[in-house]
Amino acid sequence: MSGGRRASAAGVALMLGGAGILLGVAAVPAQAAEVSYKTECIPPAASGLGPVEGTTKVEITAPATAKVGDEIQVVWKFVQAASKNPDLIVLPKDSVKPTGTLKASGAQTADIAMEGPQKNPEIPKGGDMVLSDMTGKVKLTTAGDVTLTPDAYTITAYSTDTKCTPQEAVPAAATIKVTAAEGGSTTSGGSTSGGTTTSGGTTTGGDTGGTTSGGSTTSGGTTSSGTTSGGTTSGGSTSGGNDGQTDFAGKTVTTSFACASPGPAKIDSSATINAKKNGGSYDLTVKTAKGVMNSPAPLPAGALKPSMVITVGGDDSGSLKVEGPANKDALNTGDPVSLGDMTGTYKPGADGKATLSPGDLTIVVTLSAGSNPITIPCKATKTAVSLELDVQKQAGGVSGATTSGSGSSSGSSSSSSSSGGGLAATGANDHGGLRALGFVAGTAILLGGAVFTFLPRRRVR
């Protein structure tokens, strides 16, 4: 019987000892304290906005006591972020990620890397910004009082970073009383522990790995067997009037685009214009390079809708517009992104040979249901004739008429980036206008460099 009691006692002791090992720091009483401080936030450069100020309130939770050699975990909770969601869009669930630095000082100095998960509820237009709790670890090396003070932090959404730094002395949020380990002497020198000075994730994927340039190999619209060699005209350019031909395949031509802010500086792609005769008019289908970019963030179905101006030359003149459908399927981070085939009608306005060339490109982006669309215009800086047709003049034909093209869309783009709803607002010094998050209007939303800095995949040949 006594042996059984001794065995039971031993088992309890083992269990308690194991619990102590498992609990570790958690067994030490925790403390939590809230501090607030003036904060300056720098929106992404693409937003074109200068520094603005707001107020950050955070709560730091850490053990009240610990021993030298302990590795402790610290929690940073945002009581109030220095921004609100802009009136422009509804932020989807799990689209915002915080990272930051917590400074340890006193008996030991260290920069503790803090990181929170990309986890948030759906945030309505004008709603309070909800950021996840950040955690970090530090190994204690020196006996004495170690104080913890919040420092700079970064808010990442759709692969754009808004960097926020204190603009006044921040009070310490917690103090840990560190005692020497039992049976050991106090470590001198106050050196920081390994791994606590570097940030484990202050930037997110989507803004790295985009070092390759150019676009992907083109799809569809290959040159037909009747292509004239060495010339600027494409195969299938003969008229369908006398021989009954109705389908005309254009050649694939290399294109480049320069986009207005917040679009990318340059896009390299390709385009093919195909035509099908329909009475005296021609139904056009324009194909662009596929998979020329990667999506840096989840995008819903219907988020991207393209259009392009087709320039008419030769014996005819003017321009017309073709439009493509929005993306049918939702996109995950890293998925290749392609624009749908764009269609429109060409009605000749003159007799003779008419040439068709890709022109300015426009992408309209709608990030969530009910949000205001963001229009990004891109001017064609390199193009060539893709298709030549023998045409006959039709009443109401295109000759001399031009479409507004992407030029008419630039105002929409600029208004999105400059309006008060374009960036996050705060109740700070800026009449509620702290534009702290540039992921809306400051986000590059376009082919090749876009939807929130799409990254090119392969160079078009």
Side-chain angles (χ1 to χ4, degrees), residues 305-309 321-324 342 360-364 409:
K305 184 175 177 61
S307 64
M308 180 181 283
V309 173
K321 185 177 182 180
V322 292
E323 295 181 300
M342 293 170 276
D360 296 346
L361 175 70
T362 300
I363 305 292
V364 176
S409 302

Side-chain angles (χ1 to χ4, degrees), residues 76-97:
W76 171 322
K77 179 182 178 64
F78 285 94
V79 177
Q80 174 184 296
S83 66
K84 288 183 179 292
N85 186 32
D87 293 330
L88 184 62
I89 66 167
V90 175
L91 275 179
K93 180 181 178 181
D94 300 340
S95 61
V96 183
K97 177 183 178 69

